[in-house]
C-alpha cells in the first residue's frame, strides 16, 4: 500500500545515485548522499517495525520456476540424451571389385550439443551444491543474529568501521549498532547487493549521525 512498508525501488535508486566516477574510480558523492539519506532513513524505520522483508522474500520465492517442467514426467522420452550410445555401423570395403558391407557394433561419441549440455548440467549441479552450503551458512547466521551482542559485533565489523570514530564516540557507535534489528541488517544487505560495501558503510554512518542528533535533542 502507498506509504506503507519498504519501498525497495526507492532504496535501490537512492543507493545507486550516490555513486560517481572519478578518473575511472567509483566514489561516493557526499552532496548527493545527504540528499538521499532521508529516503534510506524512512525505509530503515519501516524495516524496524514491519514484516516487509518477510513478504518480499516470500514474493521472490514464488517467482521461481515450477518444479514440474524441471523434472518432467517419468513417461517423457529425452529429446537429446547426454550419455554416449552404442549402435551398429555399416562399413563398406571393396575386395576384387566386389563391394562388401560389414556391420559392427560401434561407439557414438557425444556431439558438441550434448557436450555443452553435459557441461551445463555439471555447472548447475555445482551451483546447486554451493547454494545449498550457502543456505546453511545463512540459517546459522540468522540464528546467531537473534543475540543482540552478536548482532552488534556484526554491524561493527561490517558497516561501522571503528577506525572512523574517535575513542569518545566508540560508546555511542556501539549503542547505535546494538539497537539495530535483524530487519535493519537485511536492509543494509539489500543496499550492498545493489551497490557495494562502501555505499552501505556511508549510509550507516549517515544514519548514525542522524541518530546522534536526535539523542542530543532528547538530552
Amino acid at each position: 500500500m502507498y506509504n506503507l512498508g519498504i519501498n525497495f525501488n526507492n532504496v535501490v535508486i537512492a543507493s545507486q545515485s550516490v555513486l560517481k566516477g572519478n578518473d575511472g574510480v567509483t566514489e561516493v558523492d557526499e552532496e548527493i548522499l545527504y540528499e538521499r539519506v532521508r529516503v534510506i532513513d524512512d525505509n530503515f524505520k519501516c524495516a524496524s517495525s514491519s514484516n516487509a522483508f518477510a513478504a518480499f522474500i516470500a514474493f521472490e520465492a514464488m517467482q521461481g520456476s515450477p518444479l514440474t517442467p524441471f523434472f518432467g514426467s517419468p513417461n517423457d522420452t529425452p529429446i537429446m540424451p547426454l550419455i554416449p550410445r552404442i549402435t551398429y555401423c555399416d562399413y563398406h570395403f571393396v575386395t576384387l571389385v566386389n563391394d562388401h558391407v560389414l556391420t559392427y557394433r560401434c561407439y557414438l561419441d557425444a556431439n558438441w550439443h550434448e557436450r555443452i549440455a553435459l557441461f551445463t548440467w555439471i555447472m548447475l549441479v555445482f551451483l546447486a551444491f554451493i547454494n545449498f552450503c550457502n543456505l546453511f551458512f545463512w540459517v546459522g547466521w540468522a540464528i546467531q543474529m537473534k543475540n543482540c551482542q552478536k548482532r552488534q559485533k556484526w554491524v561493527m565489523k561490517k558497516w561501522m568501521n571503528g577506525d572512523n570514530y574517535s575513542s569518545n564516540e566508540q560508546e555511542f557507535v556501539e549503542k547505535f549498532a546494538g539497537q539495530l534489528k535483524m530487519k535493519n541488517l537485511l536492509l543494509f544487505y539489500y543496499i550492498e547487493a545493489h551497490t557495494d560495501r562502501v555505499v552501505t558503510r556511508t549510509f550507516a554512518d549517515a544514519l548514525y549521525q542522524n541518530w546522534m542528533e536526535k539523542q542530543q535533542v532528547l538530552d
Side-chain angles (χ1 to χ4, degrees):
M1 297 178 63
Y2 181 69
N3 281 343
L4 292 178
I6 301 173
N7 191 320
F8 292 96
N9 186 51
N10 284 355
V11 171
V12 174
I13 294 174
S15 302
Q16 294 178 345
S17 63
V18 301
L19 297 174
K20 66 175 182 179
N22 186 11
D23 294 333
V25 179
T26 303
E27 297 179 349
V28 176
D29 192 322
E30 298 290 341
E31 183 177 350
I32 299 178
L33 168 70
Y34 288 102
E35 294 178 0
R36 302 293 187 268
V37 168
R38 184 181 61 82
V39 176
I40 303 298
D41 190 28
D42 291 341
N43 288 276
F44 185 79
K45 294 174 183 176
C46 292
S48 301
S49 58
S50 72
N51 294 322
F53 265 100
F56 178 72
I57 293 174
F59 173 79
E60 288 293 315
M62 292 175 62
Q63 301 305 305
S65 300
L67 298 180
T68 304
F70 178 79
F71 290 105
S73 171
N75 298 323
D76 291 342
T77 302
I79 299 175
M80 183 181 295
L82 301 180
I83 303 175
R85 286 93 60 194
I86 298 295
T87 187
Y88 291 93
C89 302
D90 293 333
Y91 295 93
H92 293 265
F93 69 99
V94 178
T95 59
L96 299 176
V97 194
N98 295 320
D99 187 6
H100 299 275
V101 178
L102 296 179
T103 302
Y104 294 98
R105 294 184 66 183
C106 58
Y107 168 77
L108 292 181
D109 196 3
N111 58 38
W112 281 107
H113 296 289
E114 290 175 325
R115 291 175 182 176
I116 294 173
L118 182 61
F119 174 77
T120 302
W121 278 109
I122 292 174
M123 291 304 300
L124 288 174
V125 171
F126 176 73
L127 289 175
F129 173 75
I130 295 297
N131 280 283
F132 187 72
C133 295
N134 193 45
L135 174 62
F136 273 98
F137 167 79
W138 278 102
V139 170
W141 175 80
I143 294 174
Q144 290 183 355
M145 290 302 105
K146 290 184 177 180
N147 186 291
C148 181
Q149 293 182 347
K150 290 184 178 180
R151 193 163 60 241
Q152 179 189 42
K153 291 180 180 178
W154 185 267
V155 174
M156 294 293 296
K157 176 183 177 181
K158 292 278 288 185
W159 301 298
M160 306 293 293
N161 193 342
D163 297 336
N164 295 335
Y165 307 100
S166 63
S167 57
N168 296 331
E169 287 185 293
Q170 196 68 23
E171 178 183 353
F172 297 101
V173 174
E174 293 178 357
K175 185 177 180 181
F176 170 76
Q179 55 94 35
L180 299 185
K181 299 181 180 180
M182 181 66 173
K183 298 165 187 176
N184 301 129
L185 270 62
L186 292 176
L187 179 62
F188 281 151
Y189 267 116
Y190 185 75
I191 295 173
E192 184 173 318
H194 289 83
T195 53
D196 55 32
R197 188 167 298 178
V198 175
V199 175
T200 311
R201 285 180 173 177
T202 307
F203 274 118
D205 179 66
L207 292 174
Y208 163 71
Q209 298 297 336
N210 286 351
W211 178 80
M212 279 294 297
E213 293 176 0
K214 295 177 182 178
Q215 295 299 313
Q216 292 174 358
V217 172
L218 293 176
D219 294 339

